[in-house]
Amino acid sequence: EGEMERTVVSYEHQTPKGDPIVQDYNTSMFKTRNAAIIIDNGSHTCKAGWSTSPDPYLKFRPFVGKPRGKPVPGEPPNMVANEFDHDSTRYTTKTQYDGNFITRFDVQEQIFDYIFVHLGIDADKIYHPVVLSETVCNLTSSRKQMSELLFETYQIPSLCLGVDALFFLLFQK
């Protein structure tokens, strides 16, 4: 009489897993130089993929984390996005944004490296055009530095910058 049923709930901590890397880039349809790399460079979520695919291949939080204290053997000095636990106090995290504008281009470069490697491009030069979103009323200096980063570091053939809100309106049907 009056006996209560107890439910025991267990919680298992799951270690974040990194995004998959395209293994078959050399034999895939993405090898054609007509396929553009599409990057939605959001402050909360970054998405990247190919223009030949209807959905983004990568979707991650645009953070770079550096372990606090002593480096852990076998762990890279800086990790991007889904490679580490964002809520952990073991990492110092940085984003490329300061307010609504990109000002930390060293962090942005690490995010681009992450995107290109995970799209299967492991080369010094990117042979695909890049379509990149930017915020409304982006600063001219920020746009100039982003263009310099992509053209000089990755040697991309062409770049199309577009306001993210307008891209959204264009593709919502």
Side-chain angles (χ1 to χ4, degrees):
E1 168 188 348
E3 214 173 290
M4 292 178 49
E5 262 186 60
R6 292 182 186 205
T7 304
V8 177
V9 178
S10 63
Y11 172 75
E12 182 180 324
H13 178 73
Q14 296 191 359
T15 308
K17 294 178 175 66
D19 292 309
I21 297 176
V22 174
Q23 297 294 334
D24 58 348
Y25 172 77
N26 289 328
T27 59
S28 72
M29 64 181 170
F30 309 127
K31 183 83 172 164
T32 70
R33 294 189 182 178
N34 296 334
I37 298 170
I38 311 292
I39 301 172
D40 181 0
N41 204 20
S43 61
H44 182 268
T45 304
C46 185
K47 297 178 221 163
W50 297 96
S51 61
T52 54
S53 178
D55 295 318
Y57 184 75
L58 297 171
K59 185 177 180 182
F60 60 91
R61 300 281 310 270
F63 288 106
V64 173
K66 181 178 179 184
R68 293 182 185 186
K70 292 182 181 179
V72 178
E75 206 171 86
N78 291 320
M79 292 182 280
V80 176
N82 299 335
E83 297 176 327
F84 69 98
D85 186 2
H86 301 287
D87 298 328
S88 176
T89 56
R90 300 180 341 176
Y91 298 96
T92 303
T93 59
K94 287 196 283 187
T95 180
Q96 73 271 42
Y97 283 91
D98 184 13
N100 291 332
F101 303 105
I102 296 175
T103 58
R104 297 181 191 101
F105 288 92
D106 58 326
V107 175
Q108 183 64 56
E109 184 176 353
Q110 289 177 325
I111 290 172
F112 280 148
D113 288 343
Y114 181 85
I115 289 170
F116 295 141
V117 165
H118 283 80
L119 288 178
I121 303 171
D122 196 12
D124 293 336
K125 185 174 181 178
I126 306 297
Y127 293 99
H128 300 274
V130 174
V131 177
L132 181 66
S133 68
E134 65 178 1
T135 61
V136 177
C137 300
N138 193 18
L139 302 172
T140 304
S141 60
S142 180
R143 184 178 298 127
K144 180 182 174 197
Q145 284 182 289
M146 183 68 76
S147 298
E148 284 178 8
L149 174 65
L150 286 165
F151 282 112
E152 292 177 10
T153 305
Y154 302 102
Q155 301 172 9
I156 63 170
S158 60
L159 173 65
C160 175
L161 291 169
V163 176
D164 51 5
L166 293 177
F167 281 154
F168 177 79
L169 285 174
L170 178 65
F171 291 104
Q172 293 300 312
K173 294 182 179 181

